[in-house]
Amino acid sequence: MTEKAALTGQGILSVLGRLMERSWFATPFSVRFKWLLAPDLLDAGYAFRTTIASLVALGIALWMELGSPQWAALTVWMVAQGSRGKSIAKARWHMFGMIVGTIAAFILVSITPQQPLLFILLLAASIGGLCFIGTFLPGPASMSNYRMHGMRASGFTLSIIAIDGISAPDHMFEIAMARATYITLGIVIETSFSSLFQFHLTQRARDRLSDNFISAMHQVSATLSKLLNNDRTALKTSPEMLVSLAALGDQVEFAEIEMGRHGHEGDHARAALASITMLFSRGLNLCALMHDKDMPKQEWQLEAAKCREFLLSLPDRLKNPDEFSRLRDELAALRSSCSVSAAECLEKEMQLVTHPPVDVVAETGITRQGQALHMLDDVLEELENALVQFDQTRNPPPHDRFHFAIRTWRDWRLAFENSLRASVSVFLAGVIWLTTGWPSGALFLMFVSIIASLFSTLETPVMASRAFMHGTIYVTAVAAFLAFLIVPSVSVYEMLAMCLIPPMMIGGLAFANPSIAFVAVSYNLFLTILISPMNDNRLDEITFFITALPLFLSMAFCTWMYRVFLPLDPNAVRWDIRRQILRALRHLAQSPHPATSSDIVGAGTERMVRLMNTVGTRRGPIIEAYLQGILSGITVGLAILNLRGLLVRNNMPPEAGKNITAMLNRMAQFTGRYGGHYGRTERATLLAVSSLVKLEQHETNISQRVEMLRALAALRVIAAELSDNRLFFDASSPYLTSSSHDSVPSDDRDES
């Protein structure tokens, strides 16, 4: 009994030890608070600049004797960003949102006088509609995109004006103008201060565009070099690379603002990054061909080695503008060499097929090698396009009219869910206010409306709202100390500002730390709201708790709502992405107006960003399989697009065109209703490959033979992807789970 108890005690101690090793307390203090004790110089500059700007805005609002001066300081923290371009972009869209929200508040209050339930219904519907529109605006759903922030700011402004105005509709104009004055004052002060801390802005923006391109090229060239070296593990880091490319593309807009609208460098930069993404997608097609065991390696290995050496040296050489012309010449020589090798393969193949008996094994091997060389030439062509666009960002041509639009790919179902989540949260908060008669219910409804406007369009709103609640707890404690002990002891604004500098600096430094950024946002926004500095009196303890309690309860309510109403379901997100990919492939095969190659790659990248934002750092075999499935969907989609282009050119024998058309007709029903047709589609692809191989072996017309080789390359890519990612493409079961790895579905499952 004693020995058993001792063993049990040892087990408990070992478990506690492991928990302590993983706990927050196991991390050294200097590491946990490095952002505060040893901040980066740029982070410290941002925190200091924003602190001074918010205090100046607060001081001007007090000097103007505005009723609620704390909203001016809040606006500064809401708009402030680390760079001039980000600050101006966010300020512009915040101003746009303020105008839209003010107009909406006027309309809402004017049509619902003395009708609280109707007011709450329309308020919830309005905020839901703004979230719906915001979901479809270009850019990611994170806080880094400021077009979407315009809709968030509209909901924010609508909430703070309409909820105050409905209780005093006769003073609606004064309330709206006061709120608009606070917001405008905060925006003007922040943008003015951010401009004072920027030097050589245009040149730094140009340098940032170049650095972004070189950074993107470094990632892609490293991945392609590994692929050309037959390293199958190279694709494991490709999701992170594509997400990074999307983030770099999102930053171009800010550099454009800093450079001004006099040129089109930003358009060329977006086009260059898009070409880099397409370059990687060409590499995916190449990867599906180069691992063919029937392909001889002599000419291929020689060309691949030269391309690999060029790609590895490319990023460092791009840093030197004097090297650019030499790089272009070397790339042209590589393309010429690759084309000559592909032509030699075609010549050898023609000699074999015109001198029977044909050595089928040798002819097949030479054909596969020629296809891989043609695909390698396509990769080099896309690389050349990227370099041309990059050169025009550094040396813009005169009278340039080039334009490359910002694209986005959104989901109607996701937009509806975001809208419904926001609307229901606001409506329930309003019902709580009406039914309880809570004196602070209007403030509770206002805070819930603000949180619903800000977070309902995020991929993980529950995590953001939970971090916001933690920040609310911290800021309540700090504000209580300031409001009860510091503010009563000062009588002039200068002393109050000196007392507010340390807590505001801490908030600014915390915001610059990505791991606690959402906590810091809550802290920075609500610090002055809870302190409520005024000219004629100070905040008493009862008023403080009347403000702090609704704030905390609204955070807890929103966190609870995001957990129980339309909560984030990782399985549902994955299945939704998978369903979109299968539907897109069917659409590509049958639509009279199919998507472009950039649309295919862009939509796939956005799905990858959404999936990785949903799972965070929790990566396992299932997530890796889904990421590989998204990459495979991009590859198959590009191959289908190539086949349709070949049919449009109509430079193949009629029998070959019929085989491709039959395969595309089967793809148009690919894993559609009831999860069927996977096996049929795979067999149709293999039959098309077999038929075209026979036709190609007897074809003597060189131009038609080249087209058939291109068709064969695309068909083989599709066949390889369908085989390698069978569990992803076969929609017989709704989810790709760990159990599905144990049993591979049969080809004839869809025939039953």
Side-chain angles (χ1 to χ4, degrees):
M1 183 71 179
T2 305
E3 182 180 355
K4 184 177 180 180
L7 290 174
T8 305
Q10 290 177 2
I12 294 174
L13 289 176
S14 64
V15 171
L16 290 176
R18 288 196 297 271
L19 289 175
M20 287 297 294
E21 288 177 1
R22 300 176 184 177
S23 70
W24 184 78
F25 297 99
T27 307
F29 181 86
S30 59
V31 175
R32 291 200 309 267
F33 293 98
K34 182 181 179 181
W35 58 271
L36 180 61
L37 301 176
D40 181 80
L41 183 60
L42 293 177
D43 296 342
Y46 161 79
F48 179 75
R49 166 173 62 86
T50 311
T51 296
I52 299 301
S54 64
L55 291 174
V56 170
L58 179 62
I60 294 176
L62 287 169
W63 173 71
M64 295 173 66
E65 296 187 358
L66 298 177
S68 301
Q70 62 269 22
W71 290 102
L74 179 147
T75 303
V76 170
W77 285 104
M78 205 168 188
V79 172
Q81 296 297 310
S83 71
R84 170 72 170 165
K86 288 184 178 181
S87 293
I88 294 179
K90 195 170 186 180
R92 287 176 178 175
W93 286 105
H94 198 94
M95 182 67 75
F96 168 80
M98 183 266 290
I99 295 172
V100 172
T102 303
I103 295 173
F106 266 110
I107 296 173
L108 185 59
V109 173
S110 64
I111 64 178
T112 58
Q114 305 301 321
Q115 306 210 13
L117 184 58
L118 181 60
F119 168 77
I120 291 171
L121 278 170
L122 293 180
L123 176 66
S126 300
I127 291 178
L130 293 171
C131 291
F132 186 90
I133 297 171
T135 306
F136 283 100
L137 293 178
S142 63
M143 286 291 189
S144 64
N145 178 255
Y146 304 128
R147 287 173 176 79
M148 191 177 292
H149 177 78
M151 292 298 101
R152 292 173 178 143
S154 297
F156 170 84
T157 308
L158 170 63
S159 303
I160 65 175
I161 293 178
I163 295 175
D164 274 355
I166 195 64
S167 59
D170 293 340
H171 300 282
M172 179 62 190
F173 182 80
E174 292 88 341
I175 293 172
M177 291 302 100
R179 295 287 188 266
T181 302
Y182 305 144
I183 295 173
T184 304
L185 176 62
I187 290 174
V188 170
I189 295 298
E190 200 287 323
T191 52
S192 300
F193 268 75
S194 64
S195 64
L196 297 177
F197 288 82
Q198 305 295 331
F199 305 97
H200 305 291
L201 197 60
T202 302
Q203 186 58 44
R204 287 169 55 192
R206 291 181 186 276
D207 294 341
R208 194 180 311 125
L209 288 179
S210 298
D211 293 342
N212 288 347
F213 179 86
I214 294 172
S215 174
M217 183 59 70
H218 188 275
Q219 299 177 62
V220 175
S221 62
T223 302
L224 290 178
S225 299
K226 292 179 181 179
L227 284 177
L228 293 175
N229 200 29
N230 291 317
D231 185 358
R232 291 177 177 265
T233 64
L235 293 178
K236 288 187 176 180
T237 59
S238 54
E240 288 83 357
M241 183 191 66
L242 287 175
V243 171
S244 175
L245 291 177
L248 291 176
D250 191 48
Q251 304 299 310
V252 172
E253 169 187 6
F254 310 133
E256 278 185 303
I257 294 174
E258 294 174 359
M259 290 185 296
R261 290 290 182 179
H262 55 79
H264 293 266
E265 294 91 338
D267 293 299
H268 290 294
R270 273 191 292 272
L273 290 172
S275 293
I276 290 180
T277 308
M278 287 299 301
L279 171 64
F280 174 72
S281 67
R282 303 288 186 194
L284 294 177
N285 290 336
L286 181 62
C287 180
L289 292 176
M290 61 182 289
H291 294 128
D292 194 331
K293 62 181 184 301
D294 296 328
M295 185 181 74
K297 304 296 183 181
Q298 295 84 11
E299 288 86 353
W300 165 255
Q301 287 181 346
L302 179 62
E303 297 298 330
K306 291 191 290 186
C307 293
R308 188 169 63 250
E309 182 181 356
F310 178 79
L311 286 171
L312 289 174
S313 64
L314 180 59
D316 292 331
R317 297 175 67 185
L318 284 174
K319 297 176 182 178
N320 184 6
D322 297 333
E323 279 278 313
F324 193 78
S325 60
R326 193 176 299 110
L327 279 174
R328 293 285 305 275
D329 293 341
E330 291 182 18
L331 181 57
L334 279 177
R335 288 199 62 192
S336 176
S337 176
C338 193
S339 299
V340 169
S341 297
E344 290 176 352
C345 288
L346 180 61
E347 183 180 355
K348 292 177 183 178
E349 188 181 355
M350 292 296 294
Q351 290 178 355
L352 286 175
V353 299
T354 55
H355 295 81
V358 178
D359 187 347
V360 177
V361 176
E363 192 270 341
T364 301
I366 293 174
T367 300
R368 305 285 175 85
Q369 186 170 241
Q371 291 171 352
L373 289 169
H374 275 297
M375 193 66 69
L376 181 59
D377 183 55
D378 291 340
V379 171
L380 296 177
E381 180 183 11
E382 202 65 54
L383 176 59
E384 186 175 24
N385 294 335
L387 292 181
V388 168
Q389 295 295 336
F390 171 65
D391 182 47
Q392 292 181 349
T393 62
R394 294 198 293 197
N395 304 294
H399 311 294
D400 191 12
R401 294 292 182 268
F402 181 77
H403 180 65
F404 194 90
I406 301 174
R407 299 294 304 274
T408 188
W409 297 267
R410 294 298 182 196
D411 182 10
W412 285 91
R413 177 181 171 186
L414 177 64
F416 177 75
E417 289 181 355
N418 291 343
S419 173
L420 191 61
R421 187 184 296 119
S423 297
V424 172
S425 299
V426 174
F427 177 74
L428 289 181
V431 170
I432 292 173
W433 174 33
L434 290 182
T435 55
T436 61
W438 184 16
S440 299
L443 198 57
F444 171 75
L445 175 60
M446 180 189 296
F447 287 132
V448 170
S449 301
I450 290 173
I451 300 306
S453 301
L454 293 179
F455 292 157
S456 294
T457 52
L458 295 176
E459 283 104 344
T460 55
V462 64
M463 296 176 62
S465 60
R466 185 172 57 192
F468 234 56
M469 185 170 64
H470 293 165
T472 301
I473 296 173
Y474 298 144
V475 75
T476 302
V478 173
F481 172 79
L482 293 172
F484 298 161
L485 300 178
I486 302 299
V487 175
S489 62
V490 298
S491 57
V492 294
Y493 177 71
E494 290 78 3
M495 289 302 299
L496 175 64
M498 293 296 294
C499 296
L500 291 178
I501 286 177
M504 285 187 172
M505 281 290 295
I506 293 174
L509 292 173
F511 178 76
N513 183 16
S515 62
I516 55 174
F518 274 114
V519 177
V521 169
S522 176
Y523 176 94
N524 294 330
L525 291 184
F526 299 124
L527 179 62
T528 52
I529 294 295
L530 290 174
I531 296 174
S532 297
M534 292 170 283
N535 282 314
D536 51 353
N537 58 1
R538 72 174 185 87
L539 190 71
D540 60 82
E541 291 78 2
I542 295 177
T543 307
F544 176 86
F545 284 110
I546 288 176
T547 305
L549 182 61
L551 176 60
F552 174 76
L553 291 179
S554 64
M555 299 299 167
F557 174 79
C558 289
T559 304
W560 176 74
M561 280 296 298
Y562 288 138
R563 285 185 176 275
V564 300
F565 184 73
L566 296 178
L568 178 70
D569 183 1
N571 281 341
V573 171
R574 292 198 295 269
W575 169 242
D576 190 45
I577 291 173
R578 188 177 175 209
R579 175 181 55 82
Q580 291 174 0
I581 291 173
L582 300 181
R583 184 176 59 196
L585 293 179
R586 294 196 297 272
H587 185 268
L588 275 174
Q590 66 181 350
S591 174
H593 304 289
T596 63
S597 56
S598 60
D599 288 336
I600 295 172
V601 177
T605 303
E606 188 140 328
R607 292 178 186 124
M608 201 169 291
V609 171
R610 183 186 173 196
L611 178 61
M612 295 184 70
N613 287 343
T614 300
V615 300
T617 58
R618 301 185 301 276
R619 297 276 292 273
I622 295 176
I623 301 302
E624 295 294 340
Y626 268 88
L627 291 173
Q628 182 60 39
I630 296 173
L631 286 174
S632 187
I634 296 174
T635 306
V636 173
L638 292 173
I640 292 174
L641 211 59
N642 291 337
L643 290 175
R644 296 199 58 171
L646 292 170
L647 290 177
V648 170
R649 288 200 295 269
N650 195 23
N651 195 23
M652 289 184 296
E655 187 65 25
K658 289 180 181 179
N659 284 290
I660 295 174
T661 302
M663 179 265 167
L664 290 177
N665 289 337
R666 180 57 62 188
M667 179 65 74
Q669 306 173 32
F670 180 54
T671 57
R673 194 177 182 188
Y674 307 122
H677 301 291
Y678 168 81
R680 298 178 186 178
T681 306
E682 187 180 28
R683 282 193 294 275
T685 306
L686 295 175
L687 285 173
V689 170
S690 177
S691 300
L692 260 70
V693 165
K694 294 177 182 178
L695 292 172
E696 187 260 342
Q697 288 175 349
H698 298 89
E699 182 59 54
T700 57
N701 186 301
I702 294 181
S703 62
Q704 291 190 352
R705 194 179 187 91
V706 169
E707 290 288 276
M708 293 172 66
L709 288 174
R710 291 185 180 275
L712 273 172
L715 288 169
R716 286 192 172 110
V717 166
I718 295 174
E721 295 298 332
L722 292 182
S723 176
D724 294 342
N725 296 279
R726 184 175 186 173
L727 291 174
F728 182 84
F729 286 120
D730 187 0
S732 301
S733 59
Y735 299 107
L736 183 65
T737 61
S738 56
S739 60
S740 63
H741 289 273
D742 301 330
S743 59
V744 179
S746 64
D747 285 343
D748 297 323
R749 175 177 296 180
D750 58 306
E751 302 289 349
S752 57

